[in-house]
Amino acid sequence: MLTLAIQKSGRLNEKTVQLLRECGIAFENGGSAKLKSKARNFPMQILYLRDDDIPECVADGIADAGIVGENVYLEKRRPLRIIERLGFARCRLSIAFPKDREYCGTDDLQGLNIATSYPNILRDFLKKNRIDATIHEISGSAEIAPGIGLADAIFDIVSTGSTLLSNGLREVETILRSEAVLVAGKKLSSTNQQLLDKLVFRMCAVQLAGNRKYILLNAPNEQIEAICRLLPGMKSPTIMPLSTEGWSSIHSVIAEDEFWEKIEALKAAGAQGILVIPIEKMIL
Ligand code: ATP
Ligand code: ZN
C-alpha cells in the first residue's frame, strides 16, 4: 500500500484534496481531527501532517510520497526527488525592504541583518552572490521584524504583496518561484513504485485536461482546411458532414491559454455555432 503525506490544513490542503479526488481517489478528508485515512478504491493511505514535517516523513520512509510546497522541499534539504510539479499554491520567496530604504541591487544587501524562516535557501543565495549578511532565523511570518527593529530586511513568501505593504515593506529581489510538488523518497518497493506511477499517470491526465478545452463548430466545406490549420487537436480534428449540404461539423481540442485568440481567428475563417466544453481527463 502506498502512503502519501499531505498538508493537514492550510493553503495546500484544499487543492491537494481536490487533485486526489479528480484522480478518482475516494477518501475522507482528515481535516480536523484525523491523522490518516485509507482510500476506499485505491491501495493508498493518506497521512495528514504540517507541511514542514512532510519532507522528513517521506525521507524517513514513514510516507512513500508527499505533496508539499517546493519552498519547503528546498528548505528542508532532505534526500527526495521531485516526481511531478503540480501547478498550484504558486508563490515566490523574495527579499523585502522597508519601503523608504534604497535598493539598487544585491550589493545593497551587504552587512544587513535579514529575518527569515527560510535560512537555507537564503544562505545559498547570499553565498552564490558573494554577499556577507547576517541571517536572523525566525519561525513564522517575518514581515513584522523590520518594524520592531529586529532586522533590516526580510526574506519571505510573497503572493500578492499586500501583506508586505501593510507592514511598510516592498519586494526588492525575487529568489525563488515555488509551486506544489509531488515528492518521493529515493527508493520505493516495486509495488509502491507501481502505485506511485499509477497515481502520477492520473495526475498528469487531470493536469493536461485542466488547461485544455473540447471545441465543436460548424463550417462551410470550403473553409475546412483553413479551420483545421487553426485546430491541430490531439492527432487531427474530427470532421463530420452536417445534414445541410456543403457544411461540416469540426471537433478538436484547444489549449485554454490560446482560446480567445483562436476563437477570433476561427470566426474570421467562417466558423459558426462554436461550442467550447471542459475536458475532465486527458490521456495522450
Ligand atoms: P502548516 O500548518 O502546515 O505548517 P503553514 O502555515 O506553514 O502550514 P501555509 O500558509 O498553509 O503554511 O502554506 C503552505 C504552502 O503554501 C507554503 O509553503 C507555500 O508553498 C504555499 N503558499 C504559502 N502562501 C501562499 C500564498 N499566499 N499563495 C499561494 N501559495 C502559498
Ligand atoms: Zn508550515
Side-chain angles (χ1 to χ4, degrees):
M1 184 165 65
L2 189 73
T3 303
L4 178 73
I6 71 170
Q7 191 192 28
K8 186 177 175 65
S9 66
R11 288 190 161 100
L12 287 162
N13 172 271
E14 193 182 324
K15 286 274 173 58
T16 303
V17 167
Q18 186 188 337
L19 174 63
L20 292 172
R21 295 213 196 288
E22 283 171 354
C23 288
I25 293 165
F27 62 100
E28 270 176 63
N29 188 2
S32 49
K34 267 197 157 186
L35 204 66
K36 59 182 170 183
S37 63
K38 241 174 106 175
R40 287 193 289 277
N41 55 357
F42 193 85
M44 180 167 91
Q45 65 171 346
I46 296 166
L47 297 186
Y48 302 95
L49 301 173
R50 284 198 55 198
D51 66 345
D52 316 69
D53 296 332
I54 292 174
E56 187 171 356
C57 215
V58 178
D60 290 351
I62 294 162
D64 301 298
I67 292 178
V68 72
E70 196 179 358
N71 52 323
V72 171
Y73 157 73
L74 288 172
E75 179 60 32
K76 296 294 177 185
R77 306 277 136 121
R78 300 287 168 176
L80 303 172
R81 33 187 188 127
I82 292 187
I83 307 293
E84 189 67 31
R85 311 183 71 81
L86 301 173
F88 60 87
R90 286 185 195 275
C91 58
R92 52 190 193 274
L93 263 64
S94 296
I95 293 179
F97 266 27
K99 63 178 184 313
D100 40 17
R101 187 182 187 119
E102 196 187 23
Y103 185 83
C104 300
T106 48
D107 263 356
D108 288 337
L109 300 172
Q110 294 288 3
L112 298 192
N113 190 350
I114 308 172
T116 187
S117 48
Y118 295 91
N120 289 326
I121 297 174
L122 179 59
R123 194 174 302 113
D124 279 359
F125 172 82
L126 295 175
K127 203 168 153 201
K128 213 171 88 198
N129 290 278
R130 299 170 198 279
I131 296 159
D132 190 16
T134 309
I135 298 174
H136 186 92
E137 188 175 343
I138 54 164
S139 61
S141 46
E143 65 267 3
I144 55 157
I148 57 173
L150 207 64
D152 305 306
I154 66 160
F155 172 58
D156 206 357
I157 291 184
V158 182
S159 62
T160 60
S162 59
T163 314
L164 288 184
L165 214 64
S166 61
N167 284 284
L169 300 168
R170 73 191 166 97
E171 190 177 1
V172 296
E173 193 79 53
T174 301
I175 295 182
L176 175 76
R177 291 186 188 276
S178 170
E179 65 187 281
V181 290
L182 174 70
V183 293
K186 287 277 186 228
K187 184 128 189 66
L188 264 61
S189 70
S190 67
T191 316
N192 284 343
Q193 184 62 52
Q194 275 171 22
L195 289 171
L196 185 64
D197 291 346
K198 223 169 167 172
L199 183 65
V200 171
F201 175 81
R202 294 188 189 188
M203 284 179 177
C204 289
V206 171
Q207 278 193 288
L208 261 178
N211 51 32
R212 283 185 171 72
K213 303 276 180 215
Y214 193 77
I215 179 165
L216 304 86
L217 56 85
N218 297 330
N221 287 346
E222 61 274 16
Q223 286 300 101
I224 289 178
E225 213 180 305
I227 288 177
C228 288
R229 270 201 301 275
L230 291 164
L231 294 177
M234 287 176 75
K235 228 186 198 93
S236 58
T238 309
I239 301 167
M240 285 179 284
L242 291 187
S243 54
T244 310
E245 188 76 25
W247 282 75
S248 296
S249 168
I250 302 175
H251 298 201
S252 192
V253 170
I254 170 174
E256 175 134 61
D257 49 3
E258 53 187 30
F259 169 78
W260 286 111
E261 192 193 325
K262 290 256 164 135
I263 294 295
E264 311 261 301
L266 289 168
K267 274 173 65 188
Q272 293 182 5
I274 303 170
L275 293 180
V276 177
I277 299 168
I279 298 172
E280 201 174 299
K281 310 278 189 304
M282 186 161 155
I283 291 119
L284 289 179

